[in-house]
Amino acid sequence: MSKYNPLWEELGKREGPSLTLTFEEIEALAGVPLDHSFLQYKKELAAFGWQVKKISMKGQTVLFQRTEGEAI
């Protein structure tokens, strides 16, 4: 279990092919500050049917995309 599990579990409940969340929204869902370790932990997301498609430092957003075969 990682510190981002609450975020991964919430994404697992979401519908649709993609979702964009702000850094603030991610921190609120995860319950921890977003930091550089997110880059290491993001590979865990595949187990929940999602992947990180794009991280925008300028826009302070993360685009999540459902993995193939997992569309709802």
Short mmCIF file of all heavy atoms in Angstrom, two decimals:
data_model
loop_
_atom_site.label_atom_id
_atom_site.label_comp_id
_atom_site.label_asym_id
_atom_site.label_seq_id
_atom_site.Cartn_x
_atom_site.Cartn_y
_atom_site.Cartn_z
N MET A 1 0.84 -1.18 0.00
CA MET A 1 0.00 0.00 0.00
C MET A 1 0.89 1.25 0.00
O MET A 1 1.81 1.35 0.79
CB MET A 1 -0.90 0.00 1.23
CG MET A 1 -1.82 1.16 1.29
SD MET A 1 -3.03 0.90 2.60
CE MET A 1 -3.46 2.57 2.93
N SER A 2 0.58 2.16 -0.90
CA SER A 2 1.37 3.38 -0.97
C SER A 2 0.58 4.56 -0.44
O SER A 2 -0.63 4.48 -0.21
CB SER A 2 1.79 3.66 -2.42
OG SER A 2 0.73 4.23 -3.15
N LYS A 3 1.26 5.66 -0.30
CA LYS A 3 0.59 6.86 0.20
C LYS A 3 -0.44 7.40 -0.78
O LYS A 3 -1.29 8.19 -0.42
CB LYS A 3 1.62 7.94 0.55
CG LYS A 3 2.42 8.48 -0.63
CD LYS A 3 3.41 9.50 -0.12
CE LYS A 3 4.23 10.12 -1.22
NZ LYS A 3 5.15 11.12 -0.67
N TYR A 4 -0.38 6.96 -2.04
CA TYR A 4 -1.34 7.42 -3.04
C TYR A 4 -2.52 6.46 -3.23
O TYR A 4 -3.37 6.69 -4.08
CB TYR A 4 -0.63 7.66 -4.38
CG TYR A 4 0.27 8.86 -4.33
CD1 TYR A 4 1.65 8.72 -4.26
CD2 TYR A 4 -0.25 10.15 -4.33
CE1 TYR A 4 2.48 9.82 -4.20
CE2 TYR A 4 0.58 11.26 -4.28
CZ TYR A 4 1.95 11.09 -4.21
OH TYR A 4 2.77 12.18 -4.14
N ASN A 5 -2.61 5.40 -2.44
CA ASN A 5 -3.71 4.45 -2.58
C ASN A 5 -5.10 5.10 -2.52
O ASN A 5 -5.97 4.71 -3.29
CB ASN A 5 -3.60 3.32 -1.56
CG ASN A 5 -2.97 2.09 -2.16
OD1 ASN A 5 -2.23 2.18 -3.14
ND2 ASN A 5 -3.25 0.95 -1.58
N PRO A 6 -5.35 6.07 -1.62
CA PRO A 6 -6.67 6.69 -1.65
C PRO A 6 -6.99 7.34 -3.00
O PRO A 6 -8.13 7.27 -3.47
CB PRO A 6 -6.59 7.75 -0.54
CG PRO A 6 -5.56 7.21 0.41
CD PRO A 6 -4.54 6.55 -0.49
N LEU A 7 -6.01 7.92 -3.64
CA LEU A 7 -6.20 8.51 -4.97
C LEU A 7 -6.46 7.42 -5.99
O LEU A 7 -7.38 7.51 -6.80
CB LEU A 7 -4.99 9.34 -5.38
CG LEU A 7 -4.98 9.87 -6.81
CD1 LEU A 7 -6.14 10.82 -7.06
CD2 LEU A 7 -3.65 10.55 -7.12
N TRP A 8 -5.66 6.35 -5.98
CA TRP A 8 -5.85 5.26 -6.95
C TRP A 8 -7.23 4.63 -6.79
O TRP A 8 -7.89 4.34 -7.77
CB TRP A 8 -4.78 4.18 -6.77
CG TRP A 8 -3.35 4.55 -6.80
CD1 TRP A 8 -2.33 3.86 -6.21
CD2 TRP A 8 -2.70 5.66 -7.47
NE1 TRP A 8 -1.12 4.47 -6.45
CE2 TRP A 8 -1.32 5.58 -7.22
CE3 TRP A 8 -3.16 6.73 -8.23
CZ2 TRP A 8 -0.40 6.50 -7.71
CZ3 TRP A 8 -2.25 7.66 -8.72
CH2 TRP A 8 -0.89 7.54 -8.47
N GLU A 9 -7.65 4.42 -5.54
CA GLU A 9 -8.97 3.83 -5.30
C GLU A 9 -10.08 4.74 -5.82
O GLU A 9 -11.06 4.25 -6.39
CB GLU A 9 -9.14 3.53 -3.81
CG GLU A 9 -8.26 2.39 -3.35
CD GLU A 9 -8.24 2.20 -1.85
OE1 GLU A 9 -8.92 2.95 -1.12
OE2 GLU A 9 -7.53 1.28 -1.39
N GLU A 10 -9.94 6.04 -5.63
CA GLU A 10 -10.95 6.97 -6.13
C GLU A 10 -10.99 6.95 -7.65
O GLU A 10 -12.07 6.94 -8.26
CB GLU A 10 -10.66 8.39 -5.63
CG GLU A 10 -11.64 9.43 -6.12
CD GLU A 10 -13.09 9.18 -5.69
OE1 GLU A 10 -13.33 8.61 -4.62
OE2 GLU A 10 -13.99 9.57 -6.46
N LEU A 11 -9.83 6.92 -8.29
CA LEU A 11 -9.81 6.84 -9.75
C LEU A 11 -10.46 5.55 -10.24
O LEU A 11 -11.14 5.54 -11.26
CB LEU A 11 -8.38 6.94 -10.28
CG LEU A 11 -7.76 8.33 -10.27
CD1 LEU A 11 -6.30 8.26 -10.67
CD2 LEU A 11 -8.51 9.29 -11.18
N GLY A 12 -10.26 4.46 -9.51
CA GLY A 12 -10.85 3.19 -9.88
C GLY A 12 -12.38 3.24 -9.90
O GLY A 12 -13.01 2.46 -10.62
N LYS A 13 -12.97 4.16 -9.17
CA LYS A 13 -14.42 4.31 -9.11
C LYS A 13 -14.95 5.22 -10.22
O LYS A 13 -16.15 5.22 -10.48
CB LYS A 13 -14.84 4.91 -7.78
CG LYS A 13 -14.51 4.08 -6.57
CD LYS A 13 -14.85 4.84 -5.31
CE LYS A 13 -14.35 4.14 -4.07
NZ LYS A 13 -14.58 4.96 -2.88
N ARG A 14 -14.07 5.99 -10.83
CA ARG A 14 -14.50 6.98 -11.83
C ARG A 14 -14.82 6.31 -13.15
O ARG A 14 -14.24 5.30 -13.52
CB ARG A 14 -13.41 8.03 -12.05
CG ARG A 14 -13.02 8.82 -10.81
CD ARG A 14 -14.10 9.83 -10.45
NE ARG A 14 -13.74 10.56 -9.25
CZ ARG A 14 -13.43 11.85 -9.22
NH1 ARG A 14 -13.41 12.56 -10.33
NH2 ARG A 14 -13.13 12.43 -8.09
N GLU A 15 -15.74 6.94 -13.88
CA GLU A 15 -16.12 6.45 -15.20
C GLU A 15 -15.55 7.37 -16.26
O GLU A 15 -15.12 8.48 -15.97
CB GLU A 15 -17.65 6.40 -15.33
CG GLU A 15 -18.28 5.39 -14.39
CD GLU A 15 -19.77 5.30 -14.56
OE1 GLU A 15 -20.33 5.95 -15.47
OE2 GLU A 15 -20.40 4.58 -13.77
N GLY A 16 -15.56 6.88 -17.50
CA GLY A 16 -15.10 7.68 -18.62
C GLY A 16 -13.70 7.29 -19.05
O GLY A 16 -12.97 6.61 -18.32
N PRO A 17 -13.31 7.71 -20.24
CA PRO A 17 -12.02 7.32 -20.80
C PRO A 17 -10.83 8.12 -20.27
O PRO A 17 -9.70 7.67 -20.33
CB PRO A 17 -12.19 7.57 -22.30
CG PRO A 17 -13.20 8.67 -22.37
CD PRO A 17 -14.14 8.44 -21.21
N SER A 18 -11.10 9.33 -19.72
CA SER A 18 -10.01 10.15 -19.22
C SER A 18 -10.52 11.09 -18.15
O SER A 18 -11.73 11.32 -18.02
CB SER A 18 -9.33 10.93 -20.35
OG SER A 18 -10.23 11.87 -20.90
N LEU A 19 -9.59 11.65 -17.40
CA LEU A 19 -9.93 12.57 -16.32
C LEU A 19 -8.73 13.47 -16.07
O LEU A 19 -7.60 12.99 -15.97
CB LEU A 19 -10.25 11.78 -15.05
CG LEU A 19 -10.53 12.56 -13.78
CD1 LEU A 19 -11.83 13.37 -13.92
CD2 LEU A 19 -10.61 11.63 -12.59
N THR A 20 -8.97 14.77 -15.98
CA THR A 20 -7.92 15.72 -15.65
C THR A 20 -8.19 16.25 -14.25
O THR A 20 -9.29 16.71 -13.95
CB THR A 20 -7.88 16.88 -16.65
OG1 THR A 20 -7.63 16.37 -17.96
CG2 THR A 20 -6.78 17.87 -16.29
N LEU A 21 -7.17 16.17 -13.40
CA LEU A 21 -7.26 16.68 -12.04
C LEU A 21 -6.14 17.69 -11.81
O LEU A 21 -5.03 17.52 -12.32
CB LEU A 21 -7.11 15.56 -11.01
CG LEU A 21 -8.19 14.49 -10.98
CD1 LEU A 21 -7.80 13.39 -9.99
CD2 LEU A 21 -9.53 15.09 -10.58
N THR A 22 -6.44 18.73 -11.03
CA THR A 22 -5.40 19.69 -10.66
C THR A 22 -4.53 19.08 -9.57
O THR A 22 -4.93 18.12 -8.90
CB THR A 22 -6.01 21.00 -10.12
OG1 THR A 22 -6.70 20.72 -8.90
CG2 THR A 22 -6.95 21.63 -11.15
N PHE A 23 -3.37 19.65 -9.38
CA PHE A 23 -2.50 19.19 -8.30
C PHE A 23 -3.22 19.29 -6.96
O PHE A 23 -3.11 18.40 -6.12
CB PHE A 23 -1.21 20.01 -8.25
CG PHE A 23 -0.24 19.75 -9.38
CD1 PHE A 23 -0.52 18.89 -10.43
CD2 PHE A 23 0.98 20.38 -9.40
CE1 PHE A 23 0.38 18.66 -11.47
CE2 PHE A 23 1.90 20.17 -10.42
CZ PHE A 23 1.60 19.31 -11.44
N GLU A 24 -3.99 20.37 -6.75
CA GLU A 24 -4.73 20.55 -5.50
C GLU A 24 -5.78 19.44 -5.32
O GLU A 24 -5.95 18.93 -4.21
CB GLU A 24 -5.41 21.91 -5.47
CG GLU A 24 -4.46 23.05 -5.22
CD GLU A 24 -5.17 24.40 -5.12
OE1 GLU A 24 -6.41 24.45 -5.27
OE2 GLU A 24 -4.47 25.40 -4.89
N GLU A 25 -6.47 19.09 -6.39
CA GLU A 25 -7.47 18.02 -6.31
C GLU A 25 -6.81 16.69 -5.98
O GLU A 25 -7.35 15.90 -5.18
CB GLU A 25 -8.26 17.91 -7.62
CG GLU A 25 -9.18 19.08 -7.88
CD GLU A 25 -9.77 19.09 -9.27
OE1 GLU A 25 -9.06 18.74 -10.25
OE2 GLU A 25 -10.96 19.43 -9.38
N ILE A 26 -5.66 16.44 -6.57
CA ILE A 26 -4.93 15.19 -6.30
C ILE A 26 -4.52 15.14 -4.83
O ILE A 26 -4.68 14.12 -4.17
CB ILE A 26 -3.71 15.07 -7.23
CG1 ILE A 26 -4.19 14.83 -8.65
CG2 ILE A 26 -2.77 13.96 -6.75
CD1 ILE A 26 -3.11 14.93 -9.70
N GLU A 27 -4.00 16.25 -4.31
CA GLU A 27 -3.59 16.29 -2.91
C GLU A 27 -4.78 16.06 -1.99
O GLU A 27 -4.67 15.34 -0.99
CB GLU A 27 -2.94 17.64 -2.60
CG GLU A 27 -1.58 17.78 -3.24
CD GLU A 27 -0.95 19.15 -3.02
OE1 GLU A 27 -1.62 20.07 -2.47
OE2 GLU A 27 0.22 19.30 -3.39
N ALA A 28 -5.94 16.65 -2.32
CA ALA A 28 -7.14 16.47 -1.49
C ALA A 28 -7.60 15.01 -1.51
O ALA A 28 -7.97 14.45 -0.46
CB ALA A 28 -8.25 17.39 -1.97
N LEU A 29 -7.60 14.38 -2.69
CA LEU A 29 -8.03 12.99 -2.79
C LEU A 29 -7.05 12.03 -2.13
O LEU A 29 -7.44 11.06 -1.48
CB LEU A 29 -8.23 12.60 -4.26
CG LEU A 29 -9.44 13.21 -4.96
CD1 LEU A 29 -9.38 12.96 -6.46
CD2 LEU A 29 -10.73 12.65 -4.38
N ALA A 30 -5.75 12.30 -2.30
CA ALA A 30 -4.72 11.42 -1.74
C ALA A 30 -4.55 11.63 -0.24
O ALA A 30 -4.14 10.71 0.48
CB ALA A 30 -3.39 11.64 -2.45
N GLY A 31 -4.82 12.84 0.22
CA GLY A 31 -4.62 13.15 1.63
C GLY A 31 -3.18 13.43 1.99
O GLY A 31 -2.84 13.47 3.17
N VAL A 32 -2.35 13.60 0.97
CA VAL A 32 -0.93 13.91 1.18
C VAL A 32 -0.50 14.95 0.13
O VAL A 32 -1.09 15.02 -0.95
CB VAL A 32 -0.01 12.67 1.05
CG1 VAL A 32 -0.31 11.66 2.15
CG2 VAL A 32 -0.12 12.03 -0.31
N PRO A 33 0.54 15.72 0.43
CA PRO A 33 1.02 16.68 -0.56
C PRO A 33 1.59 15.95 -1.78
O PRO A 33 2.22 14.90 -1.66
CB PRO A 33 2.14 17.43 0.16
CG PRO A 33 1.93 17.17 1.62
CD PRO A 33 1.24 15.84 1.70
N LEU A 34 1.35 16.50 -2.94
CA LEU A 34 1.91 15.96 -4.18
C LEU A 34 3.38 16.33 -4.24
O LEU A 34 3.73 17.51 -4.08
CB LEU A 34 1.15 16.54 -5.38
CG LEU A 34 1.49 15.97 -6.75
CD1 LEU A 34 1.14 14.49 -6.82
CD2 LEU A 34 0.72 16.72 -7.82
N ASP A 35 4.24 15.35 -4.41
CA ASP A 35 5.67 15.62 -4.49
C ASP A 35 6.30 14.79 -5.59
O ASP A 35 5.61 14.08 -6.33
CB ASP A 35 6.35 15.40 -3.13
CG ASP A 35 6.19 13.97 -2.62
OD1 ASP A 35 5.97 13.05 -3.42
OD2 ASP A 35 6.30 13.78 -1.40
N HIS A 36 7.60 14.86 -5.69
CA HIS A 36 8.33 14.18 -6.77
C HIS A 36 8.13 12.66 -6.74
O HIS A 36 8.21 12.00 -7.77
CB HIS A 36 9.82 14.53 -6.70
CG HIS A 36 10.56 14.14 -7.92
ND1 HIS A 36 11.21 12.94 -8.04
CD2 HIS A 36 10.73 14.78 -9.10
CE1 HIS A 36 11.76 12.85 -9.24
NE2 HIS A 36 11.49 13.96 -9.91
N SER A 37 7.83 12.11 -5.57
CA SER A 37 7.64 10.66 -5.47
C SER A 37 6.44 10.19 -6.29
O SER A 37 6.35 9.01 -6.63
CB SER A 37 7.46 10.24 -4.02
OG SER A 37 6.22 10.68 -3.50
N PHE A 38 5.53 11.10 -6.64
CA PHE A 38 4.38 10.75 -7.48
C PHE A 38 4.85 10.07 -8.76
O PHE A 38 4.21 9.15 -9.26
CB PHE A 38 3.57 12.01 -7.80
CG PHE A 38 2.37 11.75 -8.66
CD1 PHE A 38 1.21 11.19 -8.12
CD2 PHE A 38 2.37 12.04 -10.01
CE1 PHE A 38 0.10 10.95 -8.91
CE2 PHE A 38 1.27 11.81 -10.81
CZ PHE A 38 0.12 11.26 -10.26
N LEU A 39 5.98 10.51 -9.29
CA LEU A 39 6.51 9.93 -10.53
C LEU A 39 6.87 8.46 -10.35
O LEU A 39 6.74 7.67 -11.27
CB LEU A 39 7.73 10.72 -11.01
CG LEU A 39 7.46 12.17 -11.37
CD1 LEU A 39 8.77 12.89 -11.69
CD2 LEU A 39 6.49 12.29 -12.54
N GLN A 40 7.30 8.09 -9.15
CA GLN A 40 7.63 6.69 -8.87
C GLN A 40 6.37 5.86 -8.59
O GLN A 40 6.26 4.73 -9.04
CB GLN A 40 8.57 6.60 -7.66
CG GLN A 40 9.90 7.26 -7.87
CD GLN A 40 10.70 6.61 -8.98
OE1 GLN A 40 10.66 5.40 -9.17
NE2 GLN A 40 11.44 7.41 -9.72
N TYR A 41 5.44 6.44 -7.87
CA TYR A 41 4.23 5.72 -7.47
C TYR A 41 3.22 5.57 -8.60
O TYR A 41 2.37 4.69 -8.54
CB TYR A 41 3.55 6.42 -6.29
CG TYR A 41 4.24 6.22 -4.97
CD1 TYR A 41 4.95 7.25 -4.39
CD2 TYR A 41 4.16 5.01 -4.30
CE1 TYR A 41 5.58 7.09 -3.17
CE2 TYR A 41 4.77 4.83 -3.08
CZ TYR A 41 5.49 5.88 -2.51
OH TYR A 41 6.10 5.70 -1.31
N LYS A 42 3.28 6.41 -9.62
CA LYS A 42 2.24 6.39 -10.66
C LYS A 42 2.12 5.06 -11.38
O LYS A 42 1.06 4.74 -11.89
CB LYS A 42 2.46 7.52 -11.67
CG LYS A 42 3.64 7.34 -12.56
CD LYS A 42 3.78 8.48 -13.55
CE LYS A 42 4.91 8.17 -14.51
NZ LYS A 42 4.93 9.10 -15.61
N LYS A 43 3.16 4.24 -11.38
CA LYS A 43 3.07 2.93 -12.04
C LYS A 43 2.10 2.00 -11.34
O LYS A 43 1.58 1.06 -11.93
CB LYS A 43 4.45 2.31 -12.20
CG LYS A 43 5.19 2.06 -10.93
CD LYS A 43 6.60 1.55 -11.18
CE LYS A 43 7.50 2.03 -10.06
NZ LYS A 43 8.78 2.42 -10.49
N GLU A 44 1.80 2.26 -10.06
CA GLU A 44 0.83 1.45 -9.32
C GLU A 44 -0.59 1.62 -9.87
O GLU A 44 -1.44 0.77 -9.67
CB GLU A 44 0.80 1.87 -7.85
CG GLU A 44 2.09 1.69 -7.12
CD GLU A 44 2.05 2.27 -5.72
OE1 GLU A 44 1.18 3.10 -5.43
OE2 GLU A 44 2.91 1.88 -4.93
N LEU A 45 -0.81 2.70 -10.56
CA LEU A 45 -2.14 3.04 -11.06
C LEU A 45 -2.68 2.02 -12.06
O LEU A 45 -3.88 1.84 -12.19
CB LEU A 45 -2.07 4.43 -11.71
CG LEU A 45 -3.33 5.15 -12.08
CD1 LEU A 45 -4.33 5.15 -10.95
CD2 LEU A 45 -3.01 6.57 -12.49
N ALA A 46 -1.80 1.31 -12.76
CA ALA A 46 -2.23 0.32 -13.75
C ALA A 46 -3.13 -0.75 -13.14
O ALA A 46 -4.05 -1.24 -13.78
CB ALA A 46 -1.01 -0.32 -14.41
N ALA A 47 -2.88 -1.08 -11.89
CA ALA A 47 -3.70 -2.10 -11.21
C ALA A 47 -5.15 -1.63 -11.02
O ALA A 47 -6.04 -2.45 -10.79
CB ALA A 47 -3.09 -2.44 -9.85
N PHE A 48 -5.38 -0.33 -11.14
CA PHE A 48 -6.72 0.23 -10.98
C PHE A 48 -7.35 0.59 -12.32
O PHE A 48 -8.40 1.21 -12.38
CB PHE A 48 -6.67 1.45 -10.07
CG PHE A 48 -6.27 1.11 -8.66
CD1 PHE A 48 -4.93 1.06 -8.30
CD2 PHE A 48 -7.21 0.80 -7.71
CE1 PHE A 48 -4.54 0.73 -7.02
CE2 PHE A 48 -6.84 0.46 -6.42
CZ PHE A 48 -5.50 0.42 -6.08
N GLY A 49 -6.67 0.22 -13.44
CA GLY A 49 -7.21 0.44 -14.77
C GLY A 49 -6.95 1.81 -15.36
O GLY A 49 -7.59 2.20 -16.33
N TRP A 50 -5.99 2.55 -14.80
CA TRP A 50 -5.68 3.89 -15.27
C TRP A 50 -4.18 4.04 -15.48
O TRP A 50 -3.38 3.27 -14.95
CB TRP A 50 -6.14 4.94 -14.25
CG TRP A 50 -7.61 5.08 -14.16
CD1 TRP A 50 -8.45 4.32 -13.38
CD2 TRP A 50 -8.44 6.00 -14.85
NE1 TRP A 50 -9.74 4.72 -13.55
CE2 TRP A 50 -9.76 5.76 -14.44
CE3 TRP A 50 -8.20 7.01 -15.77
CZ2 TRP A 50 -10.84 6.51 -14.92
CZ3 TRP A 50 -9.27 7.76 -16.23
CH2 TRP A 50 -10.57 7.50 -15.82
N GLN A 51 -3.81 5.08 -16.23
CA GLN A 51 -2.40 5.45 -16.40
C GLN A 51 -2.30 6.97 -16.41
O GLN A 51 -3.28 7.66 -16.69
CB GLN A 51 -1.83 4.88 -17.69
CG GLN A 51 -2.48 5.45 -18.95
CD GLN A 51 -1.93 4.82 -20.20
OE1 GLN A 51 -0.90 4.19 -20.19
NE2 GLN A 51 -2.64 4.99 -21.31
N VAL A 52 -1.13 7.48 -16.10
CA VAL A 52 -0.88 8.91 -16.22
C VAL A 52 -0.47 9.18 -17.65
O VAL A 52 0.51 8.63 -18.13
CB VAL A 52 0.22 9.38 -15.24
CG1 VAL A 52 0.60 10.83 -15.51
CG2 VAL A 52 -0.24 9.21 -13.81
N LYS A 53 -1.25 9.98 -18.34
CA LYS A 53 -0.98 10.29 -19.74
C LYS A 53 -0.10 11.53 -19.88
O LYS A 53 0.81 11.56 -20.69
CB LYS A 53 -2.31 10.48 -20.49
CG LYS A 53 -2.17 10.68 -21.96
CD LYS A 53 -1.70 9.41 -22.62
CE LYS A 53 -1.73 9.57 -24.13
NZ LYS A 53 -1.21 8.42 -24.82
N LYS A 54 -0.39 12.58 -19.07
CA LYS A 54 0.38 13.82 -19.18
C LYS A 54 0.35 14.57 -17.85
O LYS A 54 -0.68 14.67 -17.21
CB LYS A 54 -0.23 14.70 -20.27
CG LYS A 54 0.50 15.99 -20.48
CD LYS A 54 -0.15 16.82 -21.58
CE LYS A 54 0.61 18.13 -21.76
NZ LYS A 54 -0.04 19.00 -22.72
N ILE A 55 1.51 15.09 -17.49
CA ILE A 55 1.63 15.96 -16.33
C ILE A 55 2.00 17.34 -16.84
O ILE A 55 3.01 17.50 -17.53
CB ILE A 55 2.71 15.46 -15.34
CG1 ILE A 55 2.34 14.07 -14.83
CG2 ILE A 55 2.88 16.45 -14.19
CD1 ILE A 55 3.42 13.41 -13.99
N SER A 56 1.19 18.34 -16.53
CA SER A 56 1.45 19.72 -16.95
C SER A 56 1.92 20.52 -15.75
O SER A 56 1.11 20.83 -14.86
CB SER A 56 0.19 20.36 -17.55
OG SER A 56 0.41 21.74 -17.77
N MET A 57 3.19 20.85 -15.73
CA MET A 57 3.72 21.67 -14.65
C MET A 57 3.18 23.09 -14.77
O MET A 57 2.86 23.73 -13.77
CB MET A 57 5.24 21.68 -14.67
CG MET A 57 5.85 20.30 -14.43
SD MET A 57 5.29 19.51 -12.92
CE MET A 57 6.13 20.53 -11.71
N LYS A 58 3.05 23.58 -15.99
CA LYS A 58 2.55 24.94 -16.22
C LYS A 58 1.09 25.06 -15.78
O LYS A 58 0.71 25.99 -15.08
CB LYS A 58 2.68 25.32 -17.69
CG LYS A 58 2.26 26.74 -17.98
CD LYS A 58 2.49 27.10 -19.44
CE LYS A 58 2.06 28.53 -19.70
NZ LYS A 58 2.30 28.91 -21.09
N GLY A 59 0.26 24.11 -16.19
CA GLY A 59 -1.16 24.13 -15.84
C GLY A 59 -1.46 23.54 -14.48
O GLY A 59 -2.59 23.62 -14.01
N GLN A 60 -0.45 22.88 -13.87
CA GLN A 60 -0.62 22.23 -12.56
C GLN A 60 -1.75 21.19 -12.61
O GLN A 60 -2.60 21.13 -11.73
CB GLN A 60 -0.90 23.28 -11.48
CG GLN A 60 0.17 24.33 -11.34
CD GLN A 60 1.26 23.91 -10.37
OE1 GLN A 60 0.98 23.63 -9.23
NE2 GLN A 60 2.49 23.86 -10.83
N THR A 61 -1.72 20.37 -13.68
CA THR A 61 -2.73 19.34 -13.86
C THR A 61 -2.09 18.02 -14.23
O THR A 61 -0.97 17.96 -14.71
CB THR A 61 -3.74 19.71 -14.97
OG1 THR A 61 -3.05 19.88 -16.20
CG2 THR A 61 -4.51 20.97 -14.62
N VAL A 62 -2.85 16.95 -14.02
CA VAL A 62 -2.45 15.61 -14.45
C VAL A 62 -3.61 15.03 -15.24
O VAL A 62 -4.75 15.04 -14.78
CB VAL A 62 -2.11 14.69 -13.26
CG1 VAL A 62 -1.76 13.28 -13.74
CG2 VAL A 62 -0.98 15.27 -12.43
N LEU A 63 -3.31 14.54 -16.44
CA LEU A 63 -4.30 13.88 -17.28
C LEU A 63 -4.15 12.38 -17.06
O LEU A 63 -3.08 11.81 -17.31
CB LEU A 63 -4.09 14.22 -18.75
CG LEU A 63 -4.93 13.43 -19.77
CD1 LEU A 63 -6.43 13.67 -19.54
CD2 LEU A 63 -4.54 13.79 -21.18
N PHE A 64 -5.21 11.76 -16.57
CA PHE A 64 -5.26 10.33 -16.38
C PHE A 64 -6.07 9.73 -17.51
O PHE A 64 -7.08 10.30 -17.93
CB PHE A 64 -5.94 9.98 -15.05
CG PHE A 64 -5.22 10.49 -13.84
CD1 PHE A 64 -5.53 11.72 -13.28
CD2 PHE A 64 -4.22 9.74 -13.24
CE1 PHE A 64 -4.89 12.20 -12.17
CE2 PHE A 64 -3.56 10.20 -12.12
CZ PHE A 64 -3.89 11.43 -11.58
N GLN A 65 -5.64 8.57 -18.01
CA GLN A 65 -6.36 7.91 -19.09
C GLN A 65 -6.59 6.46 -18.71
O GLN A 65 -5.69 5.79 -18.18
CB GLN A 65 -5.56 7.99 -20.38
CG GLN A 65 -6.29 7.45 -21.59
CD GLN A 65 -5.51 7.70 -22.85
OE1 GLN A 65 -4.29 7.63 -22.89
NE2 GLN A 65 -6.22 8.01 -23.92
N ARG A 66 -7.80 6.00 -19.00
CA ARG A 66 -8.11 4.60 -18.72
C ARG A 66 -7.27 3.72 -19.63
O ARG A 66 -7.07 4.05 -20.80
CB ARG A 66 -9.60 4.35 -18.95
CG ARG A 66 -10.07 3.04 -18.37
CD ARG A 66 -11.57 2.92 -18.37
NE ARG A 66 -12.26 3.83 -17.49
CZ ARG A 66 -12.38 3.68 -16.17
NH1 ARG A 66 -11.84 2.63 -15.60
NH2 ARG A 66 -13.04 4.54 -15.44
N THR A 67 -6.78 2.62 -19.11
CA THR A 67 -5.97 1.72 -19.91
C THR A 67 -6.86 0.94 -20.88
O THR A 67 -8.06 0.81 -20.67
CB THR A 67 -5.16 0.73 -19.03
OG1 THR A 67 -6.06 0.04 -18.19
CG2 THR A 67 -4.13 1.47 -18.21
N GLU A 68 -6.27 0.44 -21.94
CA GLU A 68 -7.00 -0.32 -22.96
C GLU A 68 -7.78 -1.46 -22.32
O GLU A 68 -7.29 -2.14 -21.44
CB GLU A 68 -6.04 -0.88 -24.01
CG GLU A 68 -5.39 0.17 -24.86
CD GLU A 68 -6.38 0.91 -25.75
OE1 GLU A 68 -7.26 0.26 -26.35
OE2 GLU A 68 -6.26 2.14 -25.85
N GLY A 69 -9.00 -1.64 -22.81
CA GLY A 69 -9.83 -2.73 -22.30
C GLY A 69 -10.52 -2.42 -21.00
O GLY A 69 -11.23 -3.25 -20.47
N GLU A 70 -10.33 -1.21 -20.47
CA GLU A 70 -10.91 -0.86 -19.19
C GLU A 70 -11.98 0.24 -19.31
O GLU A 70 -12.44 0.76 -18.32
CB GLU A 70 -9.82 -0.37 -18.21
CG GLU A 70 -8.78 -1.41 -17.88
CD GLU A 70 -9.33 -2.53 -17.02
OE1 GLU A 70 -10.30 -2.32 -16.28
OE2 GLU A 70 -8.79 -3.63 -17.09
N ALA A 71 -12.33 0.62 -20.53
CA ALA A 71 -13.29 1.72 -20.72
C ALA A 71 -14.64 1.39 -20.11
O ALA A 71 -15.14 0.29 -20.25
CB ALA A 71 -13.44 2.05 -22.19
N ILE A 72 -15.20 2.39 -19.44
CA ILE A 72 -16.53 2.24 -18.83
C ILE A 72 -17.42 3.29 -19.45
O ILE A 72 -17.07 4.40 -19.63
CB ILE A 72 -16.48 2.41 -17.30
CG1 ILE A 72 -15.73 1.25 -16.68
CG2 ILE A 72 -17.89 2.50 -16.74
CD1 ILE A 72 -15.59 1.33 -15.19
#
